[in-house]
Amino acid sequence: MKMPFAGAIDCDLHPAVPDVAALMPYLDAFWREHLAERYIDKSPFTLASYAPQLPQSVRRDWRPQKGLPGADLEALRSQALDAFGTRLAVANVLHGAVALFNADMAAALCTAINKSLAREWLDREPRLRASIVVPPQDADLAVAEIERCAPDRRFVQVLLLVMGDRPLGHRTYWPIYRAAEKHGLAIGVHAGSTFRHAPTGSGWPSYHLEDSVLQATAFEDTLVSFLAEGVFQKFPGTKLVLMESGFTWLPTLLWRTNRSWRGVRTEVPWIDRPPADIVRDHVRFTLQPLDVPDADVLHRVMDHVRSDELILFSTDYPHWQFEGDDVLPEGLSDAMLRKILIDNPLATYPRLGAAATADQTRAAMREELPP
Amino acid sequence: MNKPVTERQVRTAQKLGFVDCDIHPMQRSPKDLYPYLEQRWREHIENFGGHLCQGLAAQLPFPRMLANGQRADAYPANGGPPGCDLELMQRQHLDLNGCATGMMICLSRGGMEERNLEFGAALAHAVNDWQIHDWVAKDRRLKAGIVVPQEYPEFAAREIDARAAENAAFRQVIVSPRSIEPLGRRKYWPIYEAAARNNLVLGLHPAGNPNGHPSSGTGWGTYYMQEHYTFGTSMIGNVVSLISEGVFERFPGLKVAMIESGFSWAPSLGWRMDKQWQRMRKETPHLKRPPSEYLRAHFWFCTQPMEEPENPADIHDILGWIGWDRLMFSSDYPHWDYDDPGFALNFKMTEAQHAAIMRDNATALYRLS
């Protein structure tokens, strides 16, 4: 169905960095020279999971004449913000820096991405908020970037990819979660793979179709990792947002972890209550893609998860998840729509409530703007 | 008409003679297989042993919870692991519960994840002999699964043909879902061709040996809790592969039993596959129907570990979506998370539905009578 009223909060859309040349003004002299010397100063650094030619990477009628989908602010304004009366939107830049093996290069690129995001998107469009892109290859470098960006209240989340070096609940990543909790930032885990590991327990499949479908299983295993490792007990302020994950698999996860917990709780004694309750307290899911055939099934799945606070509105712009203006599924009550479109996002992102202007932010950051 | 199945009714219902789709016999030691192995391979076991891609030589990398993953009371008094003593299995499970038919799933020592292909073939052949001589011949309620090393499809196809001709107790083909490549890939098709040719079910049961790949696309987990969860998610990888590669277009008679893999995920997987396929279908033109239709037509599921919704009645939604004709009871005897046939199905259903899950669905799939 179409958007019933203005003021929604879009929790997942994707501005694109066109290529590394666009980041040059935000890189220091060493990295500018280094990238040029290696002839990778005009490389795209695009994630294979979102290669621009793939159908899921851009809706057909949103495909730009030239350039990467999502790289043009005017198009994003008209197609994603104005079109749905969006009040605020969380920008998630999906970038290949996180797939590099060189953590220093990744960190330099992430810093440049966040600087460019603040300057070229957030400064120009007051409805936009953003996730901090961090190098997951090195938690210390990731924390440094979080600390650098945190004073800018327009950053509301830390962004990670669902398939990386190891399951994201692992202690390797805890410094990131500690920093996020300290600053009131959510942890946003987005679909996509760095292809460190095959997406199945039996190796590499043949088709893009399979890669796409299997993202959902990676989210399940990631959520079980957060539960088993005790992240929510160690950092009780954590809000985990799974983005582009789908959520019709969630009933299975709640039921299976509740049951298996009874058998394995001596192994993970920090899990002090049924995992389903922990998930309902700490974990949220963006709306798109919605893997349901009809409204009846959606109602049943919503009943199975026993909460109306789990779903956050998203367009996933410019990814192809819906047609025309039908950005919402049919059959949701007005009360439920209000939760999904406004209340749940506000409850998930403490920083969204505060109005942060670009000027205030610049003053807070006292940061030298690039030439 | 729905009416509650009380504990007493469940006990009564067992008298209908249920089918248990997941029972694990085990060798007391590798020497149980020696009568069925050539001298070369007996020496190979003693001088080299298995060549498996994992860090620990004689145990699983994710140690199981209780009693090495077994029912503590299933260890025979005279030694050996649970599942090695037919008399105890009869006393604890088959006779006690009134099991009419038990489908044996041989997990270890079947050579399925063995990288030395000839050794894997010898082990599979031996385990198939052992199932008939040491089990089926002694208790006719037990049915065998032809264990084949999936990485050696030429041997596997020959073994399937030979065993199907040899003994009608072989009711399915067992390969490891921890294959080197996803099971839909064409290298494995001779196995499916042989299974279809002999009208045998393909049985997939999670394997403890990771065989070189982490159980999840996110990498290696830390805890058994995580590994246990992948019994569902890693099996989904193979379901997606079998469907996406067009295995069921090529072998329309092939039927797959998903054992100890869960089932409540199947509807969601079908919806997701259909949605992705609608916009990517030009990539897989060999698929003539939406993926969920292959899922609905070619896959059966087993109960253990039984899905337990927070609201027990929600299981009706799941069964409505996957079909009441697609779920088959399994106990997983003698493993630690064994489901008792008298108590596992803790939700309201009709007597016909109960009989379908406990007996009729498996009887139809495996052509038992």
Side-chain angles (χ1 to χ4, degrees):
Chain A
M1 65 177 279
K2 299 185 192 341
M3 184 62 71
F5 46 77
I9 299 172
D10 183 349
C11 296
D12 186 33
L13 51 64
H14 303 290
V17 173
D19 55 29
V20 112
L23 297 178
M24 281 299 169
Y26 305 98
L27 288 161
D28 67 21
F30 170 80
W31 286 107
R32 285 201 299 271
E33 183 183 335
H34 184 77
L35 296 178
E37 192 174 85
R38 293 174 82 167
Y39 282 22
I40 51 173
D41 53 328
K42 294 184 178 60
S43 297
F45 286 83
T46 305
L47 285 168
S49 295
Y50 292 98
Q53 73 279 5
L54 290 171
Q56 67 262 31
S57 296
V58 58
R59 209 171 93 171
R60 284 170 295 188
D61 54 331
W62 288 339
R63 188 176 284 284
Q65 296 279 331
K66 57 177 181 150
L68 276 184
D72 180 43
L73 174 60
E74 276 313 316
L76 181 138
R77 263 186 192 132
S78 65
Q79 292 169 337
L81 302 179
D82 300 344
F84 305 112
T86 297
R87 171 180 155 214
L88 292 169
V90 180
N92 294 304
V93 175
L94 301 172
H95 193 271
V98 301
L100 293 169
F101 293 96
N102 178 341
D104 294 322
M105 185 185 289
L109 290 171
C110 287
T111 299
I113 291 164
N114 294 323
K115 285 182 175 176
S116 116
L117 196 54
R119 181 78 187 275
E120 297 179 27
W121 294 81
L122 304 186
D123 283 0
R124 292 180 186 170
E125 175 46 68
R127 287 170 289 185
L128 284 181
R129 299 293 182 273
S131 297
I132 304 169
V133 182
V134 297
Q137 299 92 334
D138 185 315
D140 292 340
L141 293 174
V143 168
E145 183 59 12
I146 293 169
E147 293 294 341
R148 193 190 68 77
C149 294
D152 184 342
R153 305 288 295 178
R154 299 171 304 177
F155 284 106
V156 301
Q157 179 167 255
V158 176
L159 179 64
L160 296 167
L161 277 195
V162 72
M163 280 184 270
D165 287 343
R166 61 197 315 176
L168 286 172
H170 193 268
R171 290 176 199 177
T172 306
Y173 301 108
W174 284 13
I176 297 174
Y177 307 143
R178 182 176 292 116
E181 185 189 46
K182 182 175 91 178
H183 291 294
L185 296 158
I187 300 296
V189 176
H190 197 279
S193 178
T194 59
F195 286 74
R196 298 292 200 266
H197 307 285
T200 84
S202 36
W204 301 92
S206 308
Y207 300 109
H208 293 288
L209 170 67
E210 294 170 88
D211 282 356
S212 223
V213 168
L214 293 168
Q215 296 286 339
T217 57
F219 278 101
E220 291 184 66
D221 292 323
T222 294
L223 185 43
V224 175
S225 168
F226 272 88
L227 288 167
E229 300 271 2
V231 176
F232 302 116
Q233 285 75 27
K234 187 75 181 174
F235 308 108
T238 297
K239 284 287 186 197
L240 175 64
V241 181
L242 304 185
M243 298 184 290
E244 214 177 312
S245 57
F247 56 86
T248 55
W249 48 263
L250 184 60
T252 295
L253 183 137
L254 300 180
W255 303 342
R256 284 179 78 87
T257 53
N258 266 8
R259 175 168 162 151
S260 74
W261 173 60
R262 298 204 297 266
V264 304
R265 56 190 298 179
T266 55
E267 184 189 41
V268 285
W270 36 85
I271 302 186
D272 51 4
R273 58 203 171 107
D277 293 341
I278 299 173
V279 170
R280 280 186 287 259
D281 280 353
H282 289 277
V283 187
R284 301 293 178 259
F285 304 81
T286 59
L287 180 70
Q288 297 287 356
L290 193 66
D291 300 322
V292 292
D294 56 47
D296 179 56
V297 164
L298 179 60
H299 288 150
R300 296 310 308 139
V301 172
M302 295 287 203
D303 277 357
H304 294 174
V305 301
R306 296 157 77 93
S307 171
D308 59 3
E309 297 179 350
L310 303 186
I311 310 299
L312 314 179
F313 170 63
S314 70
T315 58
D316 199 22
Y317 175 88
H319 299 168
W320 181 10
Q321 307 294 6
F322 60 93
E323 304 291 353
D325 298 330
D326 292 324
V327 66
L328 293 165
E330 298 294 330
L332 293 175
S333 69
D334 284 351
M336 189 69 191
L337 282 170
R338 204 190 142 75
K339 296 282 273 184
I340 291 174
L341 293 167
I342 297 170
D343 298 348
N344 294 346
L346 287 176
T348 303
Y349 297 106
R351 291 183 164 213
L352 276 190
T357 68
D359 287 345
Q360 286 167 342
T361 295
R362 279 204 208 92
M365 293 189 77
R366 296 177 192 285
E367 190 181 36
E368 231 175 275
L369 292 170
Chain B
M1 184 170 48
N2 277 349
K3 64 181 181 183
V5 177
T6 64
E7 187 178 310
R8 203 164 60 84
Q9 283 171 309
V10 172
R11 287 287 174 199
T12 308
Q14 286 164 37
K15 296 207 171 72
L16 35 91
F18 72 93
V19 179
D20 184 346
C21 290
D22 188 20
I23 292 178
H24 299 294
M26 185 64 191
Q27 298 85 35
R28 187 171 298 272
S29 84
K31 290 194 169 60
D32 280 7
L33 296 178
Y34 281 14
Y36 315 111
L37 285 168
E38 292 172 19
Q39 180 63 22
R40 178 200 166 181
W41 296 119
R42 295 198 291 266
E43 289 175 5
H44 186 93
I45 288 173
E46 291 176 11
N47 295 331
F48 298 98
H51 192 205
L52 302 167
C53 306
Q54 62 172 54
L56 299 176
Q59 64 187 83
L60 294 173
F62 293 96
R64 271 38 182 171
M65 295 303 303
L66 302 175
N68 196 26
Q70 312 289 335
R71 268 175 58 163
D73 65 346
Y75 282 85
N78 56 348
C84 74
D85 185 326
L86 173 61
E87 188 274 328
L88 182 59
M89 180 189 288
Q90 289 166 334
R91 185 152 42 85
Q92 278 190 326
H93 181 50
L94 302 177
D95 297 346
L96 176 71
N97 293 317
C99 176
T101 305
M103 309 301 298
M104 294 192 293
I105 312 293
C106 295
L107 293 179
S108 43
R109 302 208 181 101
M112 292 180 284
E113 293 107 20
E114 172 58 48
R115 294 286 167 140
N116 177 332
L117 293 185
E118 294 297 343
F119 182 39
L123 285 172
H125 189 79
V127 165
N128 293 332
D129 278 340
W130 173 78
Q131 289 185 76
I132 294 300
H133 293 289
D134 291 36
W135 295 86
V136 172
K138 295 174 182 171
D139 192 325
R140 291 287 165 184
R141 288 173 293 188
L142 295 172
K143 304 295 177 193
I146 307 171
V147 173
V148 294
Q150 68 282 344
E151 310 307 335
Y152 193 173
E154 303 85 349
F155 165 81
R158 287 198 304 274
E159 180 75 1
I160 292 165
D161 284 338
R163 297 297 181 178
E166 173 191 303
N167 196 316
F170 286 110
R171 304 312 302 158
Q172 64 186 333
V173 173
I174 304 289
V175 301
S176 175
R178 300 312 294 268
S179 40
I180 295 178
E181 298 182 46
L183 281 172
R185 301 262 301 166
R186 286 187 200 172
K187 69 180 274 198
Y188 303 115
W189 286 18
I191 299 171
Y192 311 137
E193 189 172 20
R197 178 163 69 227
N198 291 289
N199 211 358
L200 291 168
V201 171
L202 177 69
L204 299 180
H205 184 294
N209 176 11
N211 199 15
H213 300 293
S215 308
S216 158
T218 64
W220 298 98
T222 306
Y223 300 104
Y224 178 63
M225 181 184 179
Q226 293 165 267
E227 177 70 3
H228 184 268
Y229 194 82
T230 66
F231 289 2
T233 48
S234 76
M235 296 295 271
I236 288 173
N238 279 314
V239 173
V240 171
S241 175
L242 287 164
I243 292 173
S244 300
E245 298 274 359
V247 168
F248 303 109
E249 283 296 333
R250 179 66 179 271
F251 308 109
L254 185 66
K255 297 170 178 174
V256 184
M258 303 296 293
I259 306 160
E260 202 174 342
S261 319
F263 57 91
S264 67
W265 46 260
S268 167
L269 176 65
W271 305 326
R272 184 172 176 90
M273 287 193 80
D274 284 359
K275 173 152 183 175
Q276 306 278 341
W277 173 76
Q278 277 160 17
R279 63 186 178 194
M280 300 178 79
R281 56 196 295 179
K282 285 182 179 165
E283 188 193 20
T284 52
H286 48 275
L287 299 185
K288 306 300 182 201
R289 297 184 282 152
S292 66
E293 292 188 22
Y294 299 105
L295 185 57
R296 181 69 180 84
H298 293 275
F299 288 85
W300 277 253
F301 304 91
C302 295
T303 54
Q304 186 278 337
M306 186 59 198
E307 309 272 7
E308 292 176 359
E310 293 175 275
N311 172 9
D314 288 344
I315 202 72
H316 282 261
D317 291 331
I318 303 295
L319 279 158
W321 289 327
I322 70 170
W324 284 87
D325 60 339
R326 282 301 192 271
L327 186 63
M328 310 184 291
F329 174 77
S330 59
S331 76
D332 199 26
Y333 180 89
H335 291 172
W336 72 299
D337 47 354
Y338 167 86
D339 273 350
D340 187 304
F343 299 97
L345 306 182
N346 188 24
F347 56 94
K348 292 178 183 179
M349 66 190 126
T350 66
E351 283 177 17
Q353 288 168 335
H354 188 241
I357 295 172
M358 294 302 294
R359 181 191 61 198
D360 299 342
N361 294 340
T363 300
L365 174 65
Y366 291 113
R367 294 178 298 116
L368 308 165
S369 52

